[in-house]
Amino acid sequence: GNISLPRYIRINVLKITKREAIRKFKELGYLYKRDGTISDRQLVDSMAPQTFQQDSDIPNLLIFPPGTNVTQTSLYQDGAVFLQDKASCVPAFVLDPPAGSSVIDACAAPGNKTTHLAAIMGDTGHILACDRDAKRFETLNSMISKAGAKCVTTQLADFLEVNPKDHSEVEYILLDPSCSGSGIINRDEHLTGAGTTKESIKRRLRSLSGFQYKILCHALKFPNVRRIVYSTCSVYPEENELVIQAVLQKNKSFTLVGFMPQWKQRGLPIFEEGKSPTH
């Protein structure tokens, strides 16, 4: 059966302050609860209808009960808030580029993470947002303009063809490449469905992880890059721990850093990279 997930709504601080957004949701009849300490799992089960609260990990992220629909509100239509799941907010939050930074969002469409980065940087500095798919590129451009993010330049390009030597200013890269989508809850088809076999899943994973390895190695070639966040929405080690392991073996000048120590659940503990941080 389907799992009911809370509705996460990210406040776009380029258009509205958190305080103002909370006030507007209250005017729409929602009740704001201040205690943001409850775990996500308890939260979904215990949230009363029409209530909302601040997420305890990600700033400017609000949590509403499952099924909340705000698409008809002016807040949503004006780009003051975005519907963005918590998992999708983690990469930009972890990359955390300071104001004035030079950043690349390598596989940027549809633009949730790009606009989140722009908000974190206070619309200063510069973000180059690349995507190679023309259709998705349109979505990316419209989301950036809806967010009012002026610091973003978009480029219809395969990140693998972006020459690191032309971007010596770049210090931060967010890399969220194509993946199996196997970690997206309530998505029925990703690698399964009619006619899929263990063999065909393996083949597909081999091809995806080969691409992911290549694109992450490419990101490491940018001469002044200091921090790279690699993220997927996959649960397969082939696309996660194994990619990181292979890339780090080849690139000894980079190390893996821990983040969000309060977050207990990690990757697979059979990998050094997947163990929980010590508290």
Side-chain angles (χ1 to χ4, degrees):
N2 276 3
I3 296 172
S4 60
L5 293 175
R7 163 68 72 209
Y8 286 99
I9 294 177
R10 177 170 64 80
I11 301 163
N12 175 17
V13 292
L14 301 182
K15 290 216 166 168
I16 197 171
T17 62
K18 178 175 154 189
R19 202 170 173 172
E20 179 73 355
I22 289 171
R23 190 179 65 73
K24 291 208 167 176
F25 278 120
K26 284 177 172 170
E27 281 170 10
L28 289 168
Y30 292 96
L31 177 70
Y32 182 55
K33 295 179 72 177
R34 287 194 170 278
D35 56 334
T37 50
I38 190 164
S39 84
D40 292 19
R41 174 51 51 219
Q42 290 167 297
L43 189 67
V44 188
D45 301 335
S46 69
M47 277 191 102
Q50 295 291 109
T51 58
F52 71 109
Q53 63 189 58
Q54 161 72 43
D55 181 73
S56 54
D57 299 299
I58 310 275
N60 301 312
L61 186 64
L62 301 175
I63 314 173
F64 287 76
T68 301
N69 184 349
V70 296
T71 54
Q72 300 311 307
T73 63
S74 62
L75 275 171
Y76 174 78
Q77 289 172 355
D78 299 342
V81 300
F82 283 99
L83 304 181
Q84 185 168 355
D85 280 336
K86 180 170 180 171
S88 163
C89 293
V90 171
F93 170 66
V94 172
L95 188 62
D96 196 22
S101 303
S102 191
V103 181
I104 291 181
D105 187 352
C107 308
N112 281 315
K113 298 178 182 75
T114 317
T115 52
H116 190 191
L117 285 168
I120 288 169
M121 290 157 67
D123 211 15
T124 63
H126 182 248
I127 300 169
L128 173 63
C130 305
D131 207 273
R132 64 182 185 178
D133 182 296
K135 193 92 201 86
R136 285 165 61 84
F137 186 69
E138 282 175 33
T139 312
L140 172 66
N141 282 316
S142 62
M143 187 174 268
I144 288 164
S145 89
K146 189 178 182 186
K150 308 271 188 296
C151 69
V152 184
T153 309
T154 59
Q155 193 177 338
L156 178 59
D158 184 334
F159 176 62
L160 287 168
E161 320 226 303
V162 175
N163 188 342
K165 293 195 182 78
D166 298 338
H167 294 279
S168 56
E169 75 290 349
V170 169
E171 294 188 308
Y172 298 87
I173 297 176
L174 194 152
L175 182 56
D176 185 70
S178 314
C179 73
S180 62
S182 52
I184 299 177
I185 295 180
N186 299 338
R187 180 192 276 191
D188 296 326
E189 46 65 47
H190 53 278
L191 292 177
T192 54
T196 44
T197 60
K198 271 210 170 107
E199 223 12 80
S200 69
I201 290 177
K202 270 194 180 138
R203 261 201 315 279
R204 170 109 170 99
L205 282 176
R206 260 201 307 276
S207 121
L208 280 166
S209 61
F211 163 72
Q212 292 152 349
Y213 170 79
K214 205 161 137 187
I215 204 165
L216 183 50
C217 283
H218 185 68
L220 297 183
K221 289 180 186 147
F222 283 71
N224 290 309
V225 68
R226 297 171 53 184
R227 184 183 298 171
I228 295 170
V229 167
Y230 172 77
S231 63
T232 73
C233 42
S234 164
V235 293
Y236 295 113
E238 287 89 338
E239 298 181 89
N240 296 316
E241 293 91 342
L242 290 171
V243 169
I244 298 295
Q245 213 173 49
V247 167
L248 288 178
Q249 272 162 10
K250 188 173 179 247
N251 300 272
K252 302 286 190 212
S253 57
F254 284 85
T255 52
L256 202 61
V257 241
F259 67 92
M260 290 171 76
Q262 75 281 20
W263 194 267
K264 304 281 195 291
Q265 175 101 25
R266 295 281 145 173
L268 296 172
I270 51 169
F271 300 99
E272 206 40 59
E273 296 81 357
K275 290 189 178 137
S276 286
T278 44
H279 293 283

